[in-house]
Amino acid sequence: MQANESWGRRWSEDSLAMARTYMEVACRKQSLVCLAADRSTMAELNQLIDEVGPYLAALKTHVDLVDDWTPEAWSAFCDKASAADLLVFEDRKFADIGGISRKQMSGIYDIRSWADLVTAHLISGPDIVDGLQAGWSDVGREGGVLLLAQMSSRGNLLDPEYTAKVVALGKSHPGVFGFIGNGSRPDDLKLLRQAVGDGKLIWTPGVNLAVGDGEMGQRYGDPREAVLAGSDCIIVGSGIHKSSNPSQQAKAYAKASWDALLERKQK
Ligand code: 5BU
């Protein structure tokens, strides 16, 4: 199925190249799943791509939690992700002023050279998006910024007033790929989608086929409900990588998310 058919208004109203790239990958893979690859060795990370790569559209990393990280091993891992037709998303949650965020895209990890997407808080103001975009431009690459409009963890301080400000500033910014919404609360997500409109994507952590409370204040909602409420990508970590059968689980999340997209399209 063509991306414009599956994604409807989201496809026609979104203009960021990276957003369309994602929508196309999701169609090829028939999956709206981004795996939160929260593993701390390179061997485990590579094994995840081998096991579940076919069922994912993107891979979310926390590069700073890998114990045996080397530039060479990371570069090979990113090549492997690319060969598996996956976008690479570093969930760095940048929060500094624009100029420093630009520099933080380089440094030892050199995130600008391999990440297609990064997360950022908007607490320091909208220049952070320009800083991150400048980081990618510095190495001749393009990428997209996901702004944290909501979070999935209990007690977080991103209240509705703050969310509204992030959406207002982010929705017309050309460097913004989309927003992080709370996958554990479909009602909150519906409100976020109303505020965002169709011109930007919403990606949601806090999703698990086993709905309820997770570790240390994490909360989980159902994948289908999240997509029907307006999520364009479900970010799933332990639901896949801690399962006794990761590939079977990844397949189940892919099916739930893709079926929900097709169901949403009918509405
Ligand atoms: P889990 O194992 O499915 O709970 O993993 C969730 C991942 O999503 C983990 O990598 C977090 O850093 C990430 N996350 C989140 O859980 N909640 C949020 O609000 C944001 C990111 Br933003």
Side-chain angles (χ1 to χ4, degrees):
M1 188 180 290
Q2 297 296 310
N4 60 345
E5 286 174 45
S6 321
W7 289 96
R9 286 198 304 271
R10 205 82 85 241
W11 176 267
S12 50
E13 291 187 26
D14 203 313
S15 54
L16 193 74
M18 190 55 79
R20 284 166 177 262
T21 302
Y22 165 69
M23 289 189 261
E24 285 173 337
V25 175
C27 284
R28 280 197 293 275
K29 307 292 274 295
Q30 302 214 335
S31 169
L32 273 55
V33 179
C34 171
L35 174 71
D38 296 331
R39 288 286 177 88
S40 43
T41 66
M42 290 307 312
E44 290 172 313
L45 284 166
N46 284 310
Q47 189 189 350
L48 274 178
I49 299 185
D50 289 334
E51 279 179 2
V52 301
Y55 311 114
L56 311 176
L59 201 60
K60 185 175 89 60
T61 55
H62 284 297
V63 65
D64 53 354
L65 59 74
V66 181
D67 293 330
D68 56 352
W69 187 92
T70 62
E72 296 75 26
W74 194 258
S75 170
F77 168 72
C78 291
D79 288 347
K80 196 177 174 77
S82 162
D85 198 13
L86 297 170
L87 293 185
V88 179
F89 163 26
E90 171 61 19
D91 189 8
R92 169 66 176 70
K93 301 185 181 73
F94 290 95
D96 215 313
I97 59 171
I100 293 300
S101 299
R102 178 184 195 164
K103 290 187 177 179
Q104 287 174 319
M105 285 286 270
S106 57
I108 285 192
Y109 293 125
D110 205 25
I111 293 170
R112 60 190 180 170
S113 296
W114 50 266
D116 300 307
L117 300 166
V118 299
T119 37
H121 285 285
L122 208 59
I123 195 79
S124 61
D127 288 306
I128 189 167
V129 180
D130 299 311
L132 295 170
Q133 285 295 345
W136 275 305
S137 303
D138 290 340
V139 289
R141 293 186 75 241
E142 284 185 14
V145 178
L146 273 156
L147 291 175
L148 277 81
Q150 297 174 337
M151 289 192 74
S152 64
S153 46
R154 75 177 168 213
N156 71 73
L157 306 182
L158 284 65
D159 61 20
E161 202 185 328
Y162 177 81
T163 300
K165 286 184 192 162
V166 171
V167 171
L169 288 167
K171 89 191 233 192
S172 57
H173 196 301
V176 172
F177 173 90
F179 299 92
I180 293 290
N182 175 9
S184 75
R185 294 287 181 275
D187 290 343
D188 293 358
L189 207 46
K190 278 185 199 150
L191 293 174
L192 180 64
R193 175 50 75 194
Q194 274 169 20
V196 169
D198 281 309
K200 297 280 183 199
L201 299 175
I202 297 177
W203 284 31
T204 53
V207 171
N208 201 299
L209 285 164
V211 171
D213 290 338
E215 275 180 359
M216 304 186 90
Q218 175 70 303
R219 302 172 296 184
Y220 291 118
D222 178 69
R224 173 176 168 270
E225 280 185 40
V227 174
L228 292 181
S231 167
D232 301 308
C233 178
I234 53 167
I235 299 173
V236 183
S238 39
I240 294 174
H241 68 75
K242 281 204 180 149
S243 140
S244 55
N245 191 338
S247 69
Q248 191 186 58
Q249 280 303 97
K251 206 172 178 174
Y253 281 96
K255 180 166 174 24
S257 62
W258 182 251
D259 287 352
L261 180 71
L262 300 184
E263 186 180 343
R264 185 172 89 187
K265 183 168 84 83
Q266 310 301 333
K267 298 192 180 223

